[in-house]
Amino acid sequence: MRTEVLHIPTPDGRADAYAAFPDDGEQHPGVLMYMDGFGIRPALREMARELAGHGYCVLVPNIFYRQGPAPVVELPEYIGEEDRPAIFARLMPLIQAHTAERTLSDAGAYLDFLTTRPEVAAGPVAVTGYCIGGLLAMRTAAAHPDRVAAVAAFHSPVGADGPGLFSRITAQVHLGHAEGDLTPEALGELDRDLDAAGVGHTSEIYPGTVHGFTMSDTDAFDPAALQRHWDRLLPLLDRTLTHG
């Protein structure tokens, strides 16, 4: 496997990004992976490498590039409950500044960059995201339905933009929700909105989880839920993306 830090031209500058590619000389489907609010760090790079090891070209852009290269906010090796207030005090202004308009401006640049890499096979790509990144993934799929075949979002506020967003999505979707984030009643309402929009999807609450369950460097981490995430994500990519 080959990994490197790349720089993506955007309308507002250059976004640094972590990339992981199978190093076999072949072309592989592309996956745009949106970071969670904590940003690009060892735990997220490990997830990108894991996905690349299954035969995908993975690009993880630093969505906060306007404020500087990753890490924009310095983090401890392990993010515990006592660390969160100070970290979120620094992160929330960055998250709030990343508007839907910025998401859409960046998304086209990220897709252009990923799909023109020599390692990436022709055809549509997948977009995944964690926490705020899941919402960005859904926005990207809605804005580029002809370029995105699959979307997966985990412990993410995917309904924050309202059901109108879903009406523009043609990709196959998987949503993995934290039990601490979504009630069964709210899940039912979300599923009805997705059904009404004609979105092919699976959407489930991962039992016993709290927000951030995929992230191994936080106190929210749940190893079983992370494995469940791979068990849902990999088949979705396998059936929607074209392998050489």
Side-chain angles (χ1 to χ4, degrees):
M1 183 185 308
R2 180 164 54 84
T3 64
E4 57 185 304
V5 174
L6 302 172
H7 293 87
I8 305 170
T10 77
D12 290 335
R14 285 162 59 85
D16 53 303
Y18 181 77
F21 304 116
D23 193 18
D24 57 5
E26 302 294 327
Q27 290 186 319
H28 296 272
V31 178
L32 176 61
M33 178 185 285
Y34 280 113
M35 64 190 221
D36 65 343
F38 291 131
I40 299 174
R41 61 199 190 281
L44 204 64
R45 291 193 286 267
E46 180 181 354
M47 294 176 73
R49 291 193 299 270
E50 172 75 17
L51 185 52
H54 290 276
Y56 298 96
C57 297
V58 184
L59 183 69
V60 190
N62 168 27
I63 68 170
F64 300 144
Y65 71 89
R66 293 172 180 84
Q67 286 76 35
V72 178
V73 173
E74 293 292 341
L75 300 171
E77 289 186 10
Y78 180 80
I79 302 169
E81 183 178 359
E82 68 282 0
D83 303 303
R84 290 176 178 269
I87 293 172
F88 278 112
R90 299 184 64 190
L91 283 175
M92 287 311 296
L94 305 181
I95 293 172
Q96 291 166 353
H98 197 75
T99 60
E101 291 74 21
R102 284 186 170 181
T103 300
L104 298 182
S105 173
D106 290 342
Y110 298 157
L111 291 174
D112 287 345
F113 186 86
L114 176 62
T115 57
T116 55
R117 292 288 301 182
E119 305 91 343
V120 176
V125 303
V127 187
T128 69
Y130 303 87
C131 184
I132 185 62
L135 177 58
L136 306 188
M138 295 288 278
R139 288 173 176 170
T140 298
H144 300 276
D146 57 329
R147 307 179 74 178
V148 178
V151 182
F154 301 92
H155 45 84
S156 174
V158 293
D161 290 353
L165 177 72
F166 305 149
S167 65
R168 303 191 298 275
I169 294 176
T170 59
Q172 293 292 307
V173 174
H174 174 71
L175 306 176
H177 310 285
E179 190 173 283
D181 283 346
L182 203 66
T183 66
E185 293 75 20
L187 175 65
E189 182 178 352
L190 177 63
D191 284 342
R192 286 191 291 274
D193 288 340
L194 290 163
D195 287 337
V199 178
H201 71 282
T202 55
S203 177
E204 59 182 328
I205 294 173
Y206 287 21
T209 56
V210 297
H211 184 76
F213 59 77
T214 59
M215 296 298 156
S216 62
D217 60 348
T218 78
D219 55 1
F221 180 54
D222 184 321
L226 176 63
Q227 184 57 52
R228 188 186 187 106
H229 140 281
W230 291 121
D231 292 343
R232 301 296 190 268
L233 176 59
L234 293 172
L236 172 68
L237 302 186
D238 187 57
R239 66 176 179 264
T240 56
L241 301 183
T242 302
H243 295 262

